[in-house]
Amino acid sequence: MKVLVINAGSSSLKYQFFESKTGEVLAKGSAERIGLDDSSIIHARNGEDKVTLDLDLPDHKEAMEQVLAMLTSSKYGVIHSMMEIDAVGHRVVHGGEKFSGSALITPSVKAAIRVCIPLAPLHNPPNLTGIEACEAAMPGVPQVAVFDTAFHQTMIPRAYMYALPYELYDEYRIRRYGFHGTSHRYVAERAAEMLGRPLEELKIVTCHLGNGSSIAAVKHGKCIDTSMGLTPLAGICMGTRCGDIDPAIVTFLMEKEGLDMKGINSVLNKKSGVLGVSGVSSDFRDLEDAAEHGNDRARLAMDMFCYQCRKYIGAYAAAMGGIDAVVFTAGIGENNWNIRRDSVAELEYMGIRIDEGKNKGLRGVQMDLSAPGSTASVLLIPTNEELAIARETERIVSSGSATVE
Ligand code: ADP
């Protein structure tokens, strides 16, 4: 099946076009600066260099039409006509409590995504815009929503509830949702394949470490806990996000610094994390450079990151009653061997031992990094959220179901 995967942001629309059976990427790219000056489409056919075309893209619908024109053009295209697109899979950030699986898009599914806007005000509106742009440009082509939150819907109340007045949960659905679910699920499934054991038997901690980072406890194939919460601000410290802090800091800072809601949100989301601590950068490559040149705050930021990671691994092993594997994925998890090593340091007592020789220098390839004698495996597994969305889309369209657990 040929599946187009769409990840629509407020001013961008990223796409990957798959042959979903083989996982081959036929083409990929992104429409950039939609609705702004200097908009363009960056496009590449499989194995070829990128081309950038400056195009007027006043809105997502026009962007979608131009993407379709690229895919079908004689010069840059990979198909003769739009009719060859069998289905479209959309990344949708928040599915609230409504979606524990992916869903074939219908008017009622769109309405439910709209209901979740207060939970993800920056993400769900552009995701919906992307869906509607595709509906307009490709009428009749089945569309599927794949939610970042869905995989985590198996958490039980003791894991997802906050100790706030229960009425606030009733009124606003304030609870832990978790994010990066497509990635956690994908790497957990790959881990089971690598270990040659059924996922239903395994206790896995998946560490998705990128600009945004989250950790999940996947017991017998189901997420039982995860570090992000109502929003993607919670959990371990990130590039620019603070992660878990004492909630009293919020009102303290608002008072001391005279901050309004926008101001405090900006401090916690954009000025904190390893950027805030180091004062150098949110990018771990810059932090490593700075630390090598003697910058103590850059070293501190990375130490904090690894220490917090390690604490979550320990906590989730306790929550699952054991651990069979730790998986590292995403930009940092796949590329930064120092962070991998330090995140499992001193966990030998739990049977987690990383082979430093195998780990060192390794980037972006699937590999078992466990040292001899390790009872829990340490795995590097590159994530592929787009392929996971393509496969989910194929599954939903083939099964013909409206919503699937
Ligand atoms: P996002 O959450 O935006 O998708 P990524 O998963 O791309 O983020 O992760 C970004 C982080 O990954 C950065 O801190 C960067 O240092 C690290 N990273 C990405 N690629 C590499 C690489 N090739 N080598 C080292 N670090 C990398």
Side-chain angles (χ1 to χ4, degrees), residues 357-379:
K358 278 193 209 162
N359 179 53
K360 193 168 181 188
L362 200 65
R363 291 174 193 270
V365 287
Q366 189 166 300
M367 181 74 85
D368 189 334
L369 304 174
S370 320
S374 186
T375 53
S377 303
V378 182
L379 307 175

Side-chain angles (χ1 to χ4, degrees), residues 180 208-212 282-285 330-332 335-336 363:
H180 298 135
H208 177 109
L209 310 179
N211 271 325
S282 63
D283 192 303
F284 277 64
R285 288 167 283 202
I332 298 164
N335 293 296
N336 194 317
R363 291 174 193 270

Side-chain angles (χ1 to χ4, degrees), residues 322-383:
I323 183 162
D324 296 303
V326 179
V327 178
F328 288 104
T329 195
I332 298 164
E334 291 169 27
N335 293 296
N336 194 317
W337 56 89
N338 292 322
I339 298 291
R340 287 194 299 262
R341 181 197 59 216
D342 294 348
S343 297
V344 293
E346 296 179 54
L347 295 182
E348 291 87 358
Y349 78 96
M350 286 167 57
I352 302 173
R353 286 167 196 271
I354 192 164
D355 184 321
E356 292 209 21
K358 278 193 209 162
N359 179 53
K360 193 168 181 188
L362 200 65
R363 291 174 193 270
V365 287
Q366 189 166 300
M367 181 74 85
D368 189 334
L369 304 174
S370 320
S374 186
T375 53
S377 303
V378 182
L379 307 175
L380 191 177
I381 304 182
T383 194

